[in-house]
């Protein structure tokens, strides 16, 4: 595997990297450097949703036969207090935890030194990792540090961290350990983390409103659009029909966007002609909302509209969702044209997400070429798992992919064939 391919596959967390390392007992410096860069830079498309990759990276490090020097360099990024992206910082912290648990004599001390409040998140990062690596003493340390912030500012400790300690060290043990401490910072942490949360009861959740109440809320439009989508998901068939009728009569663009959003997850129950006309709106938000409202419906007119929109650069990606319930085999070349085009990572992920929706709803072995491209190029291991699942369902999983998914960064993908 050449270095360019190695970097590409490693950034995606593909099992091909581990297969290659198993067959390569010695590596040149450029491969070791690529591993180092992957460890200090979180390359997942969306780290908040995707799986954490420290176990995969640790396995890669062991196979590199350069683990000791890599550990020293990686820990050094914490010591230098480099202000990188917080997801990069957290990945390094998670790796440091593995270093400590596997006998690195300096990892825990380095983690403690680097543990601090992160302004961008309004939170401390690495608390769970310090507890895992340091046990009871790790918990005492983070309680002291977070308690200092509570005492000196309006910071409120997250109960999640205390719950994590309960799970990892035992609730009775944690309460006894912290409760017996006279340290003011530790007691401040405990009070903050165990405070009673007070729900705001003054505002009724929009998704619990009747349709008449929802119409009143449209007069000030202070609610986020997502709340109207959620209302549509929970609405009765009767209320949904009333909303559909009012959509057809609405003239206000702001209210019209709300009505269209209501049908983002539910099929519009009336003739879609009016919404199809709104797809041609010169207002991008209305156009996008109209496309989303149509994608839950099966209709030959919608299929023709989708093909038309695919011919326009401004709508070719949004139009993909219209094929979810309207795909036919002859559409395959259109989809290939969109997938194989050179794109940035955000655009490619959006395309891939819609393509997966299409082939999950419309099984066909003809999708193999597209799915292999999504598998190889995508940075999201969650989408990669969906991709492999579709290939398995259609009996088109290549042997090469079958072999390497056993070593993927996504544990669920590793076990998908069991």
């Amino acid at each position: 595997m050449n270095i360019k391919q190695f970097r590409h596959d490693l950034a995606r967390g593909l099992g091909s990297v581990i297969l290659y390392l198993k067959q390569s007992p010695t590596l040149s410096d450029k491969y070791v450097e690529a591993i180092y860069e992957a460890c200090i830079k979180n390359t997942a498309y969306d780290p908040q949703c995707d799986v954490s990759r420290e176990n995969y990276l640790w396995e890669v490090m062991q196979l590199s036969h350069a683990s000791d020097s890599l550990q020293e360099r990686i820990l050094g990024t914490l010591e230098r207090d480099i202000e990188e992206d917080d997801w990069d910082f957290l990945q390094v912290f998670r790796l440091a935890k593995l270093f400590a648990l596997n006998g690195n004599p300096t990892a825990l001390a380095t983690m403690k030194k680097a543990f601090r409040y992160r302004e961008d998140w309004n939170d401390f990062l690495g608390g769970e990792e310090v507890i895992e690596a340091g046990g009871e003493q790790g918990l005492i340390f983070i309680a002291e540090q977070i308690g200092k912030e509570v005492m000196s500012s309006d910071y409120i400790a997250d109960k999640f961290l205390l719950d994590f300690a309960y799970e990892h060290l035992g609730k009775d043990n944690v309460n006894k350990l912290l409760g017996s401490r006279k340290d003011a910072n530790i007691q401040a942490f405990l009070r903050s983390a165990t405070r009673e949360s007070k729900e705001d009861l003054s505002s009724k959740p929009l998704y619990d409103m009747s349709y008449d109440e929802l119409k009143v809320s449209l007069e000030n439009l202070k609610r986020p659009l997502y709340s109207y989508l959620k209302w549509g998901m929970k609405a009765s068939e009767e209320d949904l029909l009333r909303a559909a009728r009012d959509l057809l009569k609405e003239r206000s663009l702001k209210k019209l966007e709300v009505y269209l959003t209501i049908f983002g997850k539910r099929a519009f129950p009336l003739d879609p002609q009016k919404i199809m006309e709104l797809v041609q709106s010169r207002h991008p938000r209305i156009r996008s909302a109209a496309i989303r409202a149509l994608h839950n419906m099966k209709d030959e007119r919608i299929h023709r509209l989708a093909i038309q929109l695919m011919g326009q650069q401004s709508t070719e990606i949004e139009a993909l969702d219209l094929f979810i319930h309207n795909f036919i085999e002859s559409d395959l070349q259109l989809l290939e044209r969109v997938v194989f085009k050179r794109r940035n990572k955000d655009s490619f992920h959006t395309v891939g997400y819609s393509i997966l929706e299409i082939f999950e709803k419309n099984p066909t072995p003809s999708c193999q070429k597209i799915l292999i491209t999504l598998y190889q190029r995508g940075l999201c291991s969650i989408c990669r798992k969906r991709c492999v699942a579709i290939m398995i369902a259609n009996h088109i999983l290549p042997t090469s992919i079958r072999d390497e998914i056993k070593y993927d960064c996504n544990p669920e993908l590793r076990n998908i064939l069991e």
Side-chain angles (χ1 to χ4, degrees), residues 185-405:
N185 293 324
I186 291 179
Q187 294 309 310
F189 166 78
L190 269 179
R191 288 193 301 272
S192 183
T194 57
R195 75 195 184 286
E196 290 290 334
S197 60
K198 297 180 180 180
E199 297 183 10
D200 181 10
L201 302 177
S202 62
S203 179
K204 184 177 183 179
L206 188 138
Y207 57 79
D208 282 339
M209 291 183 180
S210 67
Y211 181 61
D212 289 328
E213 291 173 315
L214 179 136
K215 286 188 70 173
V216 172
S217 79
L218 291 179
E219 296 308 315
N220 54 42
L221 291 177
K222 291 183 179 180
R223 308 262 184 169
L225 279 174
Y226 176 78
S227 61
Y228 293 97
L229 177 70
K230 194 169 182 179
W231 182 90
M233 293 167 65
K234 299 187 68 173
S236 67
E237 295 295 336
E238 180 183 352
D239 277 351
L240 209 63
L241 183 59
R242 292 179 64 193
R245 288 171 177 155
D246 284 342
L247 184 156
L248 297 179
K249 297 181 292 185
E250 188 56 60
R251 294 293 178 266
S252 162
L253 289 178
K254 289 186 177 181
K255 291 183 181 180
L256 196 53
E257 184 181 8
V258 170
Y259 275 116
L260 290 168
T261 300
I262 286 172
F263 296 96
K265 296 290 186 181
R266 296 280 293 276
F268 187 73
L270 300 174
D271 187 273
Q273 184 60 40
K274 168 69 179 293
I275 302 179
M276 291 173 63
E277 293 169 3
L278 290 172
V279 169
Q280 307 298 336
S281 172
R282 59 188 177 87
H283 300 282
R285 292 172 64 95
I286 296 297
R287 181 189 70 204
S288 297
I291 291 174
R292 288 193 295 271
L294 288 173
H295 91 273
N296 298 302
M297 303 181 70
K298 183 177 179 63
D299 191 299
E300 176 56 33
R301 291 171 295 171
I302 295 176
H303 182 252
R304 291 196 297 269
L305 175 63
I307 293 174
Q308 175 188 340
L309 295 175
M310 289 282 283
Q312 304 170 23
Q313 186 174 355
S314 61
T315 55
E316 68 171 357
I317 296 179
E318 289 181 305
L320 287 171
D321 284 348
L322 299 182
F323 290 97
I324 294 173
H325 292 285
N326 296 282
F327 172 80
I328 58 177
E329 288 285 328
S330 60
D331 297 326
L332 202 62
Q333 288 186 336
L334 280 174
L335 303 187
E336 288 179 348
R337 188 189 72 201
V338 177
V339 171
F340 299 155
K341 186 179 293 188
R342 183 182 294 275
R343 301 185 180 281
N344 62 40
K345 67 177 183 178
D346 296 320
S347 177
F348 185 80
H349 184 264
T350 301
V351 166
Y353 196 91
S354 295
I355 291 289
L356 292 173
E357 290 271 329
I358 293 169
F359 291 133
E360 283 171 343
K361 290 286 194 302
N362 304 275
T364 171
S366 302
C367 66
Q368 186 190 52
K369 186 177 179 181
I370 289 178
L371 293 181
I372 290 175
T373 299
L374 296 181
Y375 172 91
Q376 293 174 338
R377 287 178 56 190
L379 289 167
C380 173
S381 80
I382 297 172
C383 290
R384 187 160 66 243
K385 179 194 168 190
R386 292 173 63 199
C387 193
V388 170
I390 295 171
M391 287 193 276
I392 291 172
N394 286 281
H395 308 289
I396 55 173
L397 184 68
T399 301
S400 58
I401 293 179
R402 182 182 295 271
D403 290 341
E404 70 182 44
I405 58 176

Side-chain angles (χ1 to χ4, degrees), residues 5 34 68 79 110 149 265 283 381 412 414:
Q5 189 66 48
D68 290 346
E79 292 175 336
T110 303
E149 186 69 26
K265 296 290 186 181
H283 300 282
S381 80
E412 293 184 2
R414 289 189 175 205

